Every structure is written in structure tokens, then in C-alpha cells.
Amino acid sequence: VDIDTDGEDCLMRFRSGNTLKVPADSWVINCTGYIARHEHEYEPYLSARGTTISIQPTSGIHFLSTFGAYFLTHMHFLGKLPDLGLYELDYQTLMRDYKEGFAFVSISHTLYNLMLMLNAAPMTVFTRCGLDFDNWYPFHRRLLGGMKLRMHNAAYRKKFKSALDTVRQKHQFRCGELNHR
């Protein structure tokens, strides 16, 4: 159900009411929302204390949760996640309330976040991503696309951010930087 502290110990609480002490320096990643079969309550992709990553549709950083999990854990292990400025997006509400805009919003959102991470992480995080569909294409085609992204990164991010902010204001769903303050 949750992971919480009771003073000094970190405890995993189960639906049965039982608890289990979580060893110090453990990493906990919540991947319970992979397939949206029912509505999920909001949970930020990074807990307020920065100790728990949650992979689910109410605070996604990528429209595919597999990619979200891959990149969130890498950014977290690199110590970059809290200050990176990734946009969270409530995919659950987007799909329910603005289905006709889903593809456009989700691609803008995904590219915005990927470009932020591209600037923050070693290139090996991207080249070793076994989920990367670009690997289907020849190296020269991927190289050209990668160079174009690098050259226009700031301009593209600015456009994507503006589009995401406009859609958020118009349709009133969660889309923006994670704010724990």
C-alpha cells in the first residue's frame, strides 16, 4: 500500500496490514500503473523526500511507462532527477478528457523531457536503451536525427514547453514541472 517511516525505520505497509522493514539504502520503484485498467489517484513520479520513484499514469514523464521507468531510474541514480525540470503529465486525465489531442500532447511532452535528459545524462544512457525504436534504423539515419536534435534542442524545448503550457491552461489537467513546495 505504501512505504513510510515510523521514526527511524522505513516500513513497507501491505494491504493485509502487515509491515516489513525496508533495509537502509534501498531503492523502491512503484510500477503499479503500467496498464490503466482503472483510475489511479495522483502520485508524483518522485516523492517529496526524493526517496521513491512512481511509474504510473497520473504523473508520467513519457507516454510509454517502460521508457518512463528506464529514464527516471537513470536520472535518479545520476542524482539529477529533483532538479532536472521534467514535466509530469496526467495521462489518465488526458486520455479521458482530451482523447483527440492525446497523440500531439504526448509526443510534445515526451520530446520535451527527452531533450532535457539528453542534456543531463551521458550518451550511453540513450545508446544502451534497449527500448529505443530508433535502433531499427541504420546508424547514419540515427546520427542525422540525433545531430538535428542537438542543434535545435533549446528552440524545440521552448516550442514544446509553450504548447504544453497552452494545452494545460485550456484543458485544465496536470502538466508541468513537479512541484513539492
Side-chain angles (χ1 to χ4, degrees), residues 53-167:
I53 296 172
S54 178
I55 313 297
Q56 39 64 38
T58 63
S59 179
I61 64 141
H62 194 291
F63 73 98
L64 296 172
S65 57
T66 49
F67 281 87
Y70 177 85
F71 288 114
L72 283 172
T73 53
H74 274 80
M75 294 303 118
H76 195 52
F77 285 137
L78 290 168
K80 309 241 179 181
L81 192 52
D83 303 315
L84 196 52
L86 296 175
Y87 261 37
E88 67 171 338
L89 177 60
D90 184 350
Y91 280 100
Q92 178 175 276
T93 302
L94 173 64
M95 188 62 157
R96 184 188 64 227
D97 296 350
Y98 189 42
K99 202 173 206 169
E100 64 275 11
F102 182 85
F104 306 107
V105 174
S106 61
I107 291 297
S108 296
H109 173 248
T110 293
L111 288 171
Y112 178 76
N113 282 341
L114 284 174
M115 288 180 190
L116 286 173
M117 292 184 286
L118 190 62
N119 293 337
M123 189 51 69
T124 55
V125 170
F126 298 89
T127 59
R128 293 181 182 165
C129 179
L131 305 167
D132 189 356
F133 301 127
D134 272 353
N135 288 331
W136 294 349
Y137 298 103
F139 179 73
H140 68 278
R141 181 174 171 181
R142 289 180 286 153
L143 184 62
L144 187 60
M147 287 173 45
K148 191 175 177 181
L149 278 180
R150 284 273 190 200
M151 286 174 35
H152 303 290
N153 189 307
Y156 287 164
R157 276 195 340 261
K158 185 177 178 182
K159 287 180 183 181
F160 292 140
K161 186 177 187 302
S162 176
L164 292 167
D165 291 343
T166 299
V167 170

